[in-house]
């Protein structure tokens, strides 16, 4: 099962390495990982997508909580939440028709063209993992030159803060 | 008044009431050593002969007392040499504070002389570690280090201190308390879980108490004794838990696990209730987890939530300090005024007695060869079961655990989790320094003793009258035993060819050496050695060459599948 964990931790050098090291040392998988400071500059939020059965996820949560730099760990899947990922993709159009196709598909996915260089389009799309995968699939007919994805970030719905 | 980083370091140690620090000097810690030199009346520094020895000695000190062990080493190789000891302390939850020197701040990351990223290297094997970057943070960091090392599930904490910081000056004040927003161990058991556990205890017909090192760390031996005796339940201890419950008590069924007793393992296998107390279901205990305790409900008391349901799924988890939880359980039992089914319990004991009748630790000392078991048993008798015993890792360790009956906690000092050969001698250094008048025995083997043999010089410098019992069979015995059983006797590299003359070696270091080759001489040698109160005696017992440790659960087997002889 796919789980998105939201980890609030001390904004200190080494904290990220402790989290990442824990996953590699204990053989847990990391599908994506995203980290940045929060509105409180002493804290960072790390959003991490992993896979595992209930027992593994429970153990991951416990091991994370044991790290001295970790303030709070939340499995976003346990709550109604919003999850987004940012995709930047560079696509080369072969002719005028494919230029049209690229911008049309991009519109359908509410993507935005953020750069054009000759016939190379750089497009920004946000959404859930499925949507971004579907977008990339739809673009496969064109020459996809490069993909950069942020990994998921997420937040609980409603007024409560995590 | 402003103090230098080095002065602050020493003031912090004094504030933490550190009386002994184990270490080895070097370039990056020169300012620190200069202050230790001036403070030698308050803090005695023990110079080891290798940094690994410093950490093991600090572990011996900590495991035999209820105080943290403290060590200091220099940057680079000094720090990397300490890593084995730090990993050892991490696996066995030993409260340690380890100070490492670091190169000057402006050199960090430049591959400077004797630079290593020790914070990075040790991250997976410390409870926490710090690189101090400002002298203003030093006192608070040291306070945090001691706090983290000694509270919750104890463990090693490393503080890396750049050299230039130790001569910087700042105002010094030692924080009285420390609070960390991210760290707040649960010490009291949850009342609902206490009730759930009591439900299971009262319903149990074939219960067993499975207690481990956590009982000793929590200082809860007397609580465990009261608890078990009130209920009349059988008790088994893990390797780390030996001494937590008195081994000579009639409710004690011996150690469990790979080389535990038949009765302990069978009782675990047939039990309908396992009360796991400060134990962590290590693979050397469980064998194949699929076959582990198939009929039992499991109650698990542990300070570390991550230990619960890690290897074996638990029915009632109680996160908390054993010392608090056991009396709470008893209180709840007494409040209900009920008892488990006494007839069922009597039948259970009858069943256990049948297993005990197998007499799985039986051996006979016959023939011309000395049996290792005999040496350990005689040592137990002659030391009146009251010695502190350290060990290394291998067959001798198992024999020590099986035949030295520990009635008191903190007496059995061994490397359980990491299984570090070379642990025994330096650990004994730490134990003897903490208990100058006690008999401290180091039960070791011809392989292990050579891994930190250099500490014999430390023993000479500080006049430590250790009693080293070298069970010398000319093999890496445990490796050889596995090769005999599982690799068709292909003894790859397990023969210790070219052994030194240990008697001469001991004498070269200024100690007394003895070689004992006949069974009839064992008792006399031990008595003579123990009578030499002020000398280290190295007893080299030439034992049976291909002796095996029994009983044994082969790898991958269940607890009910023991090989008895």
């Amino acid at each position: 099962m796919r789980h998105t964990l939201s980890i609030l931790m001390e904004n200190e050098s080494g904290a990220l390495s402790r989290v990442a090291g824990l996953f590699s040392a204990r053989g847990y998988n990391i599908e994506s990982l995203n980290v940045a400071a929060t509105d409180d500059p002493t804290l960072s939020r790390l959003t991490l997508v992993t896979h595992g059965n209930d027992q593994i996820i429970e153990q991951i949560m416990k091991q994370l909580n044991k790290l001295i730099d970790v303030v709070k760990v939340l499995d976003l899947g346990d709550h109604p939440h919003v999850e987004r990922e940012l995709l930047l993709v560079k696509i080369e159009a072969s002719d005028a028709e494919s230029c049209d196709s690229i911008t049309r598909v991009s519109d359908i996915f509410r993507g935005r063209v953020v750069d054009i260089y000759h016939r190379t389009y750089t497009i920004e799309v946000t959404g859930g993992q499925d949507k971004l995968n579907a977008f990339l699939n739809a673009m496969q007919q064109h020459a996809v030159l490069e993909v950069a994805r942020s990994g998921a970030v997420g937040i609980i719905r409603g007024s409560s803060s995590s | 008044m402003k103090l230098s980083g080095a002065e602050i370091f020493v003031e912090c140690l004094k504030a933490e009431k550190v009386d002994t620090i184990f270490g080895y000097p070097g370039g990056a810690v020169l300012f620190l050593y200069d202050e230790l030199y001036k403070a030698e009346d308050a803090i005695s520094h023990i110079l080891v002969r290798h940094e690994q020895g410093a950490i093991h000695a600090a572990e011996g000190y900590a495991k035999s007392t209820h105080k943290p062990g403290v060590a200091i080493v220099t940057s680079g190789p000094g720090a990397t040499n300490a890593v084995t000891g730090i990993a050892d302390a991490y696996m066995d939850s030993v409260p340690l504070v380890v100070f490492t020197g670091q190169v000057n701040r402006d050199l960090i990351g430049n591959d400077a002389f004797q630079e290593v990223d020790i914070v990075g290297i040790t991250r997976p094997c410390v409870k926490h570690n710090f690189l101090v970057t400002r002298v203003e943070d030093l006192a608070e960091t040291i306070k945090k280090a001691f706090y983290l090392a000694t509270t919750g599930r104890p463990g090693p904490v490393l503080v890396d201190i750049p050299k230039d910081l130790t001569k910087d000056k700042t105002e010094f004040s030692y924080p009285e308390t420390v609070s960390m927003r991210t760290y707040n161990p649960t010490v009291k058991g949850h009342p609902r879980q206490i009730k759930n556990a009591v439900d299971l205890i009262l319903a149990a017909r074939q219960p067993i108490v499975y207690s481990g090192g956590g009982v000793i760390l929590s200082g809860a031996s007397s609580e465990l004794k009261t608890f078990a005796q009130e209920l009349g339940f059988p008790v088994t201890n893990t390797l780390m838990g030996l001494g937590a419950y008195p081994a000579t008590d009639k409710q004690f069924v011996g150690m469990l696990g790979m080389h535990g007793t038949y009765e302990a393992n069978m009782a675990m296998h047939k039990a309908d209730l396992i009360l796991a107390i400060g134990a962590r279901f290590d693979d050397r205990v469980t064998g194949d987890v699929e076959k582990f305790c198939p009929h039992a409900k499991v109650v698990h008391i542990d300070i570390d939530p991550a230990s619960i349901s890690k290897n074996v799924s638990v029915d009632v988890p109680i996160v908390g300090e054993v010392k608090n939880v056991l009396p709470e359980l008893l209180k709840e039992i007494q409040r209900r005024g009920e008892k488990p089914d006494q007839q069922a319990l009597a039948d259970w004991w009858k069943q256990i007695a049948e297993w005990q009748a197998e007499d799985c630790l039986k051996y006979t000392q016959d023939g011309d060869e000395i049996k290792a078991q005999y040496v350990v048993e005689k040592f137990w008798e002659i030391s009146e079961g009251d010695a502190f015993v350290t060990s290394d890792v291998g067959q001798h360790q198992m024999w020590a655990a099986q035949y030295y009956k520990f009635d008191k906690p903190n007496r059995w000092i061994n490397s359980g989790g990491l299984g570090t050969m070379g642990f025994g001698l330096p650990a004994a250094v730490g134990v003897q320094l903490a208990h100058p008048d006690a008999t401290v025995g180091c039960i070791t083997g011809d392989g292990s003793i050579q891994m930190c043999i250099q500490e014999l010089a430390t023993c000479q410098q500080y006049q430590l009258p250790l009693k080293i019992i070298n069970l010398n069979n000319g093999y890496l015995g445990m490796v050889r035993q596995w090769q005999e059983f599982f690799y068709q006797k292909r003894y790859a590299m397990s023969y210790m060819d070219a052994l030194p003359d240990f008697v001469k070696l001991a004498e070269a270091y200024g100690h007394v050496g003895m070689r004992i080759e006949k069974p009839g001489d064992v008792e006399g040698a031990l008595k003579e050695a123990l009578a030499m109160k002020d000398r280290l005696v190295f007893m080299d017992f030439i034992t049976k060459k291909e002796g095996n440790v029994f009983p044994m659960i082969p790898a991958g087997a269940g607890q009910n599948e023991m090989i008895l002889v």
Side-chain angles (χ1 to χ4, degrees), chain A residues 10 14 17-18 26 40 42-43 55 58-59 62-63 66 68-71, chain B residues 90 119 123 127-129 148 153 180-183 304-306 308-310:
Chain A
E10 299 284 358
S17 163
R18 283 180 216 278
R26 295 193 179 266
D40 175 349
T42 68
L43 291 173
Q55 194 253 334
E58 184 188 331
Q59 190 56 215
K62 283 174 172 176
Q63 294 290 350
K66 215 170 132 174
I68 307 296
D69 283 338
V70 168
V71 182
Chain B
Y90 183 64
V119 167
R123 219 171 259 140
K127 183 168 175 183
H128 198 59
N129 56 20
L148 287 170
R153 179 177 179 175
M180 298 171 74
R181 61 180 169 183
T182 60
Y183 178 77
D304 175 13
I308 293 176
S309 292
K310 182 173 69 180

Side-chain angles (χ1 to χ4, degrees), chain B residues 410-473:
Chain B
N410 307 97
R411 293 297 173 110
W412 167 238
I413 316 289
N414 88 129
S415 165
L418 195 66
T420 310
M421 290 171 69
F423 174 85
L425 175 56
V429 166
V431 176
Q432 188 81 75
L433 283 157
H435 309 274
D437 300 323
T439 300
V440 180
C442 169
I443 298 181
T444 182
D446 47 293
S448 285
I449 189 66
Q450 293 190 75
M451 282 216 182
C452 278
I453 192 87
Q454 74 285 346
E455 300 309 331
L456 285 175
T458 309
C459 298
Q460 175 59 14
Q461 181 170 351
Y462 300 100
Q463 294 292 301
L464 304 176
L466 304 181
K467 305 296 174 255
I468 297 174
I469 296 168
N470 189 35
L471 299 174
N472 182 345
N473 57 7

Side-chain angles (χ1 to χ4, degrees), chain A residues 6 10 16 20-21 26 29 33 37 39 46 50 56-57 61 82 100 104 109 127 130 146 154-155 158:
Chain A
S6 178
E10 299 284 358
L16 168 62
R26 295 193 179 266
N29 110 322
L33 185 155
D39 54 334
L46 190 154
T50 186
I56 290 172
I57 299 299
M61 304 269 287
V82 181
D100 283 352
R104 198 167 58 245
F109 283 86
D130 288 350
E146 197 173 12
I155 203 159

Side-chain angles (χ1 to χ4, degrees), chain B residues 231-476:
Chain B
L231 290 164
F233 288 0
V235 181
T236 178
N237 277 160
T238 66
L239 178 69
M240 295 308 296
L242 293 178
Y245 190 86
T248 54
D249 185 87
K250 62 182 192 319
Q251 278 173 241
F252 187 63
V253 296
M255 179 172 79
L256 83 169
M258 184 172 274
H259 292 296
T261 65
Y262 180 63
E263 50 270 34
N265 285 318
M266 286 305 287
M268 287 290 285
H269 189 76
K270 297 283 185 189
D272 68 353
L273 176 67
I274 308 281
L275 290 170
I277 306 176
R280 62 182 178 90
F281 297 88
D282 178 82
D283 56 276
R284 284 297 188 268
V285 159
T286 60
D288 182 352
V289 284
E290 298 297 325
K291 300 175 187 166
F292 180 74
C293 298
H295 318 291
K297 295 269 185 201
V298 180
V299 174
H300 190 180
I301 307 167
D302 206 292
I303 188 94
D304 175 13
S307 279
I308 293 176
S309 292
K310 182 173 69 180
N311 302 334
V312 166
S313 89
V314 166
D315 298 286
V316 179
I318 305 179
V319 178
E321 185 103 44
V322 172
K323 204 177 173 60
N324 297 332
V325 174
L326 289 179
E328 288 294 322
L329 283 171
L330 266 190
K331 217 161 46 180
E332 175 64 16
I333 292 168
Q334 281 153 1
R335 193 187 65 77
R336 297 200 199 175
E338 292 169 45
K339 278 187 165 181
D341 184 333
Q342 294 300 296
Q343 186 53 48
L345 194 58
D347 292 344
W348 178 228
W349 273 110
K350 213 182 287 170
Q351 169 66 74
I352 291 170
E354 280 172 32
W355 292 321
Q356 283 171 324
E358 285 285 339
D359 202 2
C360 67
L361 294 178
K362 183 180 63 198
Y363 71 94
T364 37
Q365 174 57 64
D366 49 10
D368 301 337
E369 289 179 314
I370 299 174
K371 293 220 170 120
Q373 297 93 319
Y374 177 68
V375 177
V376 175
E377 204 159 54
K378 283 290 155 198
F379 177 53
W380 172 67
E381 276 173 33
I382 292 163
S383 62
E384 296 171 342
D386 203 30
F388 288 84
V389 180
T390 72
S391 92
D392 276 294
V393 171
Q395 288 185 317
H396 67 269
Q397 177 190 26
M398 293 299 110
W399 282 318
Q402 291 174 331
Y403 293 92
Y404 200 102
K405 300 181 187 72
F406 294 93
D407 278 338
K408 294 179 187 166
N410 307 97
R411 293 297 173 110
W412 167 238
I413 316 289
N414 88 129
S415 165
L418 195 66
T420 310
M421 290 171 69
F423 174 85
L425 175 56
V429 166
V431 176
Q432 188 81 75
L433 283 157
H435 309 274
D437 300 323
T439 300
V440 180
C442 169
I443 298 181
T444 182
D446 47 293
S448 285
I449 189 66
Q450 293 190 75
M451 282 216 182
C452 278
I453 192 87
Q454 74 285 346
E455 300 309 331
L456 285 175
T458 309
C459 298
Q460 175 59 14
Q461 181 170 351
Y462 300 100
Q463 294 292 301
L464 304 176
L466 304 181
K467 305 296 174 255
I468 297 174
I469 296 168
N470 189 35
L471 299 174
N472 182 345
N473 57 7
Y475 277 109
L476 301 176

Side-chain angles (χ1 to χ4, degrees), chain B residues 69-86:
Chain B
V70 185
I72 175 171
V73 299
T74 193
S75 65
T80 54
N81 277 346
V83 171
T84 299
I86 293 170

Side-chain angles (χ1 to χ4, degrees), chain A residues 5 7 17-31 33 46 48-51 57 60-61 63-64 67:
Chain A
L5 306 182
I7 302 162
S17 163
R18 283 180 216 278
V19 171
L22 187 152
F23 275 73
S24 61
R26 295 193 179 266
Y28 307 138
N29 110 322
I30 297 179
E31 183 184 293
L33 185 155
L46 190 154
L48 187 150
V49 178
T50 186
H51 287 265
I57 299 299
I60 289 175
M61 304 269 287
Q63 294 290 350
L64 284 169
L67 295 176

Side-chain angles (χ1 to χ4, degrees), chain B residues 218-231:
Chain B
S218 178
S221 296
S222 72
E223 285 80 359
L224 174 66
K225 197 172 160 190
T226 309
F227 176 80
Q229 294 188 344
E230 190 73 27
L231 290 164

